[in-house]
Amino acid sequence: MAELQRGIMSLRKQTPSDFLKQIIGRPVVVKLNSGVDYRGVLACLDGYMNIAVEQTEEYVNGQLKNKYGDAFLRGNNVLYISTQKRKM
Amino acid sequence: MTSLNGTSATPTPATNPSQLLPLELVDKCIGSRIHIVMKNDKEIVGTLLGFDDFVNMVLEDVTEFEITPEGRRITKLDQILLNGNNITMLIPGGEGPEV
C-alpha cells in the first residue's frame, strides 16, 4: 500500500491500507466504474487497487451473468471494495 | 499547494480564525456520517472511518444511491473502501438524497 500512503503528509492516516490487510480472505463485493459487480473471496490486492478474486460471480444490473474461478480486476476500474454482509 | 491568503502576517481579530484546510475538515468528520457525491449520478452515505492522502475513504454502514432512476438504493453493512478517483464532493453530516 505504499502508493496510497506516499502523499505530502505521508502516513497521515493508516485506515485504507489497514482495511485492505484486514479483508484479505473474506468475501467481498467489488463494484467497478461501469456498474458491474463482482462477488467472491478476496485473494490479494495491491496499492493500485488491482484485485484478485476467487470463486467470482459477475452481476450486471443485479443479474448474475458469469462465474469465474479466478478473476483479476485492474485497479483503475474499481469504484469500491466492500465486505459482504449485506441486504439489498 | 499555494496559500490563498498570500503572505499576510498581520494579527487578525476574531473575524478570521486560522485557516481550515480541506483535509482537516474531512478529518473532523471521522466517526460521523458523511454524504459523498460521486462523478457519475451516484451518492454514498456512511460513517467515515478513515481516509488517506488520495481521499480514498473507508466507510461503514453504507447506503449507496443511484440518482437518475427513481432513487434506487442498495444498503450495505460492514465496511467499504471507496476509491477516491470518482469522488466529487463530501458533505459532513449529510443524510443523502432521502426521498
Side-chain angles (χ1 to χ4, degrees):
Chain A
M1 300 312 305
E3 290 80 4
L4 278 182
Q5 291 295 342
R6 212 191 302 133
I8 297 166
M9 294 179 280
S10 59
L11 301 182
R12 197 164 171 274
K13 286 290 180 288
Q14 296 286 341
T15 323
S17 52
D18 291 342
F19 174 77
L20 291 172
K21 285 178 205 158
Q22 283 170 22
I23 63 170
I24 287 184
R26 289 214 221 152
V28 292
V29 181
V30 182
K31 188 152 200 166
L32 302 189
N33 293 331
S34 59
V36 179
D37 213 320
Y38 291 87
R39 292 175 208 173
V41 177
L42 184 62
C44 58
L45 65 115
D46 66 12
Y48 296 103
M49 291 201 199
N50 296 322
I51 300 171
V53 204
E54 290 169 347
Q55 298 151 38
T56 312
E57 296 171 336
E58 176 182 78
Y59 290 82
V60 181
N61 294 328
Q63 300 222 338
L64 177 60
K65 285 280 181 167
N66 272 306
K67 293 188 186 179
Y68 308 105
D70 278 302
F72 171 80
L73 302 170
R74 200 174 189 279
N76 66 309
N77 300 297
V78 173
L79 179 64
Y80 64 67
I81 304 168
S82 170
T83 49
Q84 222 196 80
K85 285 179 270 183
R86 52 189 286 275
K87 54 180 192 264
M88 221 163 150
Chain B
M1 250 186 286
T2 56
S3 160
L4 289 177
N5 279 345
T7 53
S8 69
T10 48
T12 52
T15 50
N16 189 11
S18 63
Q19 286 185 317
L20 178 65
L21 296 174
L23 292 182
E24 287 176 4
L25 175 59
V26 183
D27 192 74
K28 285 188 172 190
C29 190
I30 289 179
S32 44
R33 295 299 274 176
I34 189 168
H35 170 200
I36 299 167
V37 179
M38 318 283 290
K39 284 185 200 170
N40 51 355
D41 292 335
K42 209 189 272 289
E43 299 179 20
I44 303 262
V45 178
T47 305
L48 179 60
L49 296 183
F51 65 102
D52 62 11
D53 290 322
F54 299 88
V55 202
N56 298 307
M57 312 194 82
V58 183
L59 303 163
E60 194 169 49
D61 198 9
V62 173
T63 307
E64 173 185 354
F65 294 86
E66 308 241 357
I67 291 307
T68 328
E70 6 72 12
R72 177 164 78 97
R73 94 176 60 152
I74 302 168
T75 305
K76 278 184 294 296
L77 303 177
D78 223 2
Q79 303 181 348
I80 87 167
L81 172 63
L82 182 65
N83 194 334
N85 256 317
N86 302 295
I87 293 177
T88 294
M89 178 166 70
L90 304 177
I91 304 161
E95 292 299 319
E98 298 283 356
V99 176

